[in-house]
Amino acid sequence: MKIKDHFLSQEIFEIKETETKGVYKTSPIPSNISKYYESEDYISHHQDSGSLKEKLYKFLQSFNLQYKKTILLDRIPKNSKVLDYGCGAGEFVKYIENDFEAFGFEPDSDARKAAAGKLSKAVILDDINFIDDHSLDAITLWHVFEHIENQDEMLEIFNRKLKEKGILIIAIPNPTSYDAKHYKEYWAAYDVPRHIYHFTKKGMENLISKKPNWKLRKIKPLVLDSYYISMLSEKYQKSSIFWLKAAIYGTISNIKALFSNEFSSLIYIIEKK
């Protein structure tokens, strides 16, 4: 499948299946991939301009933050030690810092600076090695894992940083959802080349099953993602009524997913063996 970088460069990339069935990789991966993040419109790093798109993003984000925290509280007690890996502008770290001993890791210096300025207790790091081995109760990656090229290496590092039976939470887009099938090459969550990997639900299950140190415990939906992704996809198609269409197709996607479990984004709750 050939996909255009609708967000920024307008370049064409290809998505190819890897040796793990159901896991796909963007090709080619630019050597200077950091430049593909250099935009004030990249909301995970810039959330303070006050644009209409950001206001919608923050409105949906407010519900998602509570939902994400609830998932943590269902698995680990308060005051546990949590790392949000790829924390962006730090919204989730800020949201949980009064309930957990929270840390954020963010490689982008501008996003890291923005995150640090919001926090009163949590700490933002630029190197995960500052965290002791076998010290974390949970690591979260909210729409981050698909950006990581050296995934096998990072899974080993996460395993080493977690305590026994520690929890790894990975949220990623689902290219077998209804909205992905509907928008096809315009589906915003392909987001090439920033999204290096793309995982079907079966693909993620296959990937984790190959890792002897991990056990997939549960899969949960991120229901609101279908609306935001549909809105961006409609804008890429230059729809004049993108708000209305996003509401319609986002709702259809969620209704269909109630029967198929193929939601627009899925959360994988994985336990260290």
Side-chain angles (χ1 to χ4, degrees), residues 7-247:
F7 170 71
L8 188 61
S9 71
Q10 309 305 309
E11 296 172 36
I12 303 293
F13 296 87
E14 196 168 0
I15 292 176
K16 299 179 179 180
E17 191 166 29
T18 66
E19 60 184 19
T20 302
K21 189 170 179 60
V23 178
Y24 299 81
K25 188 174 183 181
T26 298
S27 177
I29 302 301
S31 58
N32 57 340
I33 197 166
S34 61
K35 81 171 188 177
Y36 292 87
Y37 292 86
E38 293 173 0
S39 169
E40 290 296 320
D41 291 329
Y42 195 69
I43 290 183
S44 70
H45 289 178
H46 306 279
Q47 297 188 22
D48 303 304
S49 74
S51 70
L52 190 60
K53 184 171 73 171
E54 283 187 14
K55 287 178 180 177
L56 174 64
Y57 181 86
K58 286 198 168 188
F59 175 72
L60 298 177
Q61 184 188 62
S62 65
F63 294 98
N64 271 344
L65 288 171
Q66 178 58 43
Y67 179 56
K68 292 171 181 177
K69 187 171 82 169
T70 300
I71 289 174
L72 272 179
L73 289 170
D74 284 345
R75 295 282 166 174
I76 58 175
K78 280 192 173 185
N79 300 315
S80 296
K81 196 170 182 178
V82 177
L83 170 69
D84 187 28
Y85 187 89
C87 66
E91 294 297 326
F92 183 66
V93 182
K94 177 184 175 183
Y95 197 79
I96 67 170
E97 68 175 348
N98 290 321
D99 296 283
F100 299 99
E101 185 182 352
F103 297 84
F105 165 82
E106 175 53 51
D108 182 85
S109 59
D110 290 339
R112 194 166 60 243
K113 183 178 179 181
K118 298 174 182 176
L119 305 174
S120 57
K121 295 181 180 179
V123 177
I124 300 297
L125 305 172
D126 62 359
D127 188 345
I128 192 174
N129 291 314
F130 286 128
I131 294 191
D132 293 336
D133 291 351
H134 316 297
S135 67
L136 295 172
D137 297 283
I139 300 173
T140 60
L141 294 90
W142 303 112
H143 288 299
V144 171
F145 195 61
E146 62 269 34
H147 295 262
I148 298 174
E149 186 166 14
N150 59 332
Q151 292 183 346
D152 288 340
E153 178 186 349
M154 289 312 304
L155 284 172
E156 290 180 7
I157 292 172
F158 296 150
N159 193 275
R160 192 171 72 244
K161 297 300 177 184
L162 284 168
K163 297 176 182 176
E164 186 178 349
K165 295 190 178 294
I167 299 297
L168 177 66
I169 296 176
I170 296 176
I172 46 178
N174 176 22
T176 47
S177 63
Y178 169 80
D179 50 294
K181 292 177 180 178
H182 172 74
Y183 289 112
K184 299 178 182 177
E185 69 271 21
Y186 288 96
W187 190 54
Y190 282 124
D191 200 26
V192 293
R194 290 159 294 279
H195 289 188
I196 295 172
Y197 284 98
H198 314 268
F199 304 86
T200 67
K201 183 155 69 72
K202 190 62 179 176
M204 192 63 174
E205 291 171 343
N206 289 338
L207 177 70
I208 298 303
S209 70
K210 291 182 175 181
K211 307 298 180 184
N213 296 323
W214 297 107
K215 176 71 175 179
L216 180 59
R217 289 299 185 191
K218 198 171 186 64
I219 302 174
K220 296 178 75 70
L222 267 172
V223 175
L224 295 180
D225 277 25
S226 64
Y227 297 103
Y228 187 71
I229 291 170
S230 294
M231 184 197 75
L232 292 179
S233 303
E234 289 289 341
K235 291 188 79 172
Y236 292 160
Q237 291 183 317
K238 304 188 185 308
S239 169
S240 60
I241 52 171
F242 59 89
W243 296 99
L244 177 60
K245 285 184 151 184

